[in-house]
Amino acid sequence: MDRRTFVTTGIAAGTALALGKSPLAFGLGRADEIRVAVAGIRSRGWAHVQGLNRLEGVRVVALCDVDQRILENRQRELAEKGTETQIYRDFRDVLARDDIDVVSLGTPNHWHAMQTVWACAAGKDVYVEKPVSHNVREGRLMVEAAKRHGRIVQTGTQSRSSS
């Protein structure tokens, strides 16, 4: 990708997200929707689900958490609103799905780096909560994985990443 394409795409995607639409609304996607799995849905990840469900062209299709009760309750809440999801306790099962484009990580901090590297290797783009990593080495491994696998990885700090 050349610099001009990168800048144009970035501006369009940023504008779309600021307007509460997915970049697909501006013709940037490769399909008619972005399919997302959210991991760690007890607290922060549940906020991800709610925010993602408000975006046009984005669909949360899978939830992952080690707590079966949380999974079942969250799946039931979404079903009551008309959103069908699959649930998983093992993140590796999520990564095995070919129909998931993005994983959103709201998992405990010590999982962020490893899950990001795994997701990139599985061909998924990643949104990962802060802290991205516990040390510089983990962060470098994440950057290397994103580059090696041609993936997009974004981290968020709410005061800078959300409207």
Side-chain angles (χ1 to χ4, degrees), residues 2-49:
D2 62 37
R3 184 173 185 264
R4 181 180 305 264
T5 303
F6 175 78
V7 171
T8 303
T9 303
I11 290 169
T15 301
L17 292 173
L19 294 172
K21 298 177 181 244
S22 96
L24 293 172
F26 291 88
L28 299 177
R30 67 181 195 283
D32 62 344
E33 68 181 1
I34 297 173
R35 297 170 56 86
V36 183
V38 180
I41 58 166
R42 177 182 297 275
S43 178
R44 191 68 201 130
W46 186 240
H48 293 190
V49 170

Side-chain angles (χ1 to χ4, degrees), residues 67-85:
D67 188 326
Q68 187 70 29
R69 258 179 331 152
I70 294 286
L71 278 173
E72 291 169 357
N73 288 338
R74 298 300 196 200
Q75 183 184 41
R76 187 173 23 264
E77 273 185 68
L78 290 174
E80 289 169 1
K81 295 177 182 177
T83 301
E84 295 302 318
T85 56

Side-chain angles (χ1 to χ4, degrees), residues 115-127:
Q115 287 179 319
T116 297
V117 170
W118 286 351
C120 288
K124 315 297 184 215
D125 294 323
V126 180
Y127 175 84

